[in-house]
Amino acid sequence: MENGAGLCPPGVIGVSSIWSPKLSPPPLRGVTLHRPRLYARLAEALGGPVTLVAGEAGFGKTTLVAGYLQTADRPAVWYRIDPLDSDPALFAGSLLQGLRARVSRSAWRRAQRSLSLATDWPAAIRILLGAIAAVYDELIVVLDDLHLLDHPTLDEGLRALVEGLPPQVHLAFLTRRRPALPLARWRTQGVLSEITTDDLRFTPAELRALLVDLHHLPLTDASVHLLVAKTEGWAAGVTLALHTALAQGP
């Protein structure tokens, strides 16, 4: 493996992986609740090949995973997807930028030179897997808002990505919709771990930790349970209730 320019020490996110907002975790604003219950689930899940975090809008998928990675200090490349990334060449080129500091210069350049061949998703994934195979230490690749991708060959490409992963690289799919992939088979084979909407719901204990312990709101246990019932543990609903309570003051 080559040394020198183009590489950084394990556990350090290189400049090339943070130059673009698309390739870095979203900032965590304000006081963020640590959720030990789900952090433990993520720690176990991200030890395997693929983790699927699937839940409707406002359930805190991004905040959860970004908070865990920050707390655990695990090396990651975060890809914030938008609809334009459905183009396989654009997707491959962007993710290659995130991988640039994680692989040898020669492996990265080979993949970069091949981007013109990324005419469909399977071809783009073959190019990416050539670079991913050269990742020199543990790495988590987070594909945030996976549901925004739409292409006739997308599912074939994503299957190839999952089934071609080297052991040192872990994928995390964050999505509002479960993708049309062989999830049941992967789950049975031990390839896939899932965190669902029901898992993401705030429990009474978590809500108490957020509202009473962190924000010092004078809520009784009965009030906390009522809020859980009203919001159904929906993170966006909990946040709205918190902002309303803080705006009203004591």
Side-chain angles (χ1 to χ4, degrees), residues 2-7 100 103-110:
E2 299 177 13
N3 295 317
L7 297 180
R100 187 171 186 172
V103 300
S104 68
R105 184 184 296 179
S106 59
W108 188 84
R109 284 180 171 172
R110 279 195 302 272

Side-chain angles (χ1 to χ4, degrees), residues 29 113 121 131 140-141 160 165 190 228 235:
R29 297 180 176 86
R113 285 195 299 267
W121 272 83
I140 297 167
V141 177
L165 281 178
V228 170

Side-chain angles (χ1 to χ4, degrees), residues 14-214:
V15 171
S16 64
S17 68
I18 62 174
W19 70 273
S20 167
K22 286 182 63 65
L23 292 171
S24 58
L28 296 175
R29 297 180 176 86
V31 180
T32 302
L33 177 69
H34 288 197
R35 304 180 72 182
R37 170 180 65 92
L38 291 178
Y39 284 7
R41 289 277 304 277
L42 279 172
E44 181 179 2
L46 289 171
V50 182
T51 302
L52 177 67
V53 184
E56 300 166 21
F59 268 93
K61 301 179 293 295
T62 295
T63 299
L64 171 69
V65 178
Y68 165 73
L69 291 176
Q70 183 181 84
T71 300
D73 194 27
R74 295 182 67 176
V77 172
W78 191 292
Y79 191 155
R80 298 161 74 175
I81 290 168
D82 65 46
L84 293 178
D85 296 314
S86 295
D87 178 272
L90 179 60
F91 177 90
S94 296
L95 189 50
L96 274 175
Q97 285 297 323
L99 295 171
R100 187 171 186 172
R102 307 289 182 175
V103 300
S104 68
R105 184 184 296 179
S106 59
W108 188 84
R109 284 180 171 172
R110 279 195 302 272
Q112 186 73 8
R113 285 195 299 267
S114 301
L115 281 178
S116 62
L117 303 176
T119 54
D120 59 19
W121 272 83
I125 295 304
R126 283 194 295 272
I127 293 166
L128 282 171
L129 285 173
I132 289 171
V135 170
Y136 55 77
D137 204 353
E138 182 195 32
L139 182 66
I140 297 167
V141 177
V142 180
L143 301 182
D144 194 2
D145 282 337
L146 184 74
H147 58 275
L148 295 178
L149 296 178
D150 184 20
H151 190 278
T153 62
L154 173 64
D155 294 343
E156 182 182 355
L158 290 179
R159 283 197 300 272
L161 176 61
V162 168
E163 293 170 0
L165 281 178
Q168 73 273 23
V169 178
H170 316 279
L171 276 179
F173 293 147
L174 279 56
T175 178
R176 294 183 186 179
R177 297 188 302 272
R178 291 163 60 84
L181 296 171
L183 303 180
R185 172 164 61 83
W186 289 343
R187 195 184 310 112
T188 301
Q189 294 172 341
V191 171
L192 176 72
S193 299
E194 294 183 75
I195 294 177
T196 67
T197 294
D198 285 341
D199 298 317
L200 293 167
R201 296 184 194 278
F202 275 81
T203 65
E206 288 171 335
L207 201 54
R208 181 175 181 81
L210 176 65
L211 301 181
V212 179
D213 299 340
L214 278 182

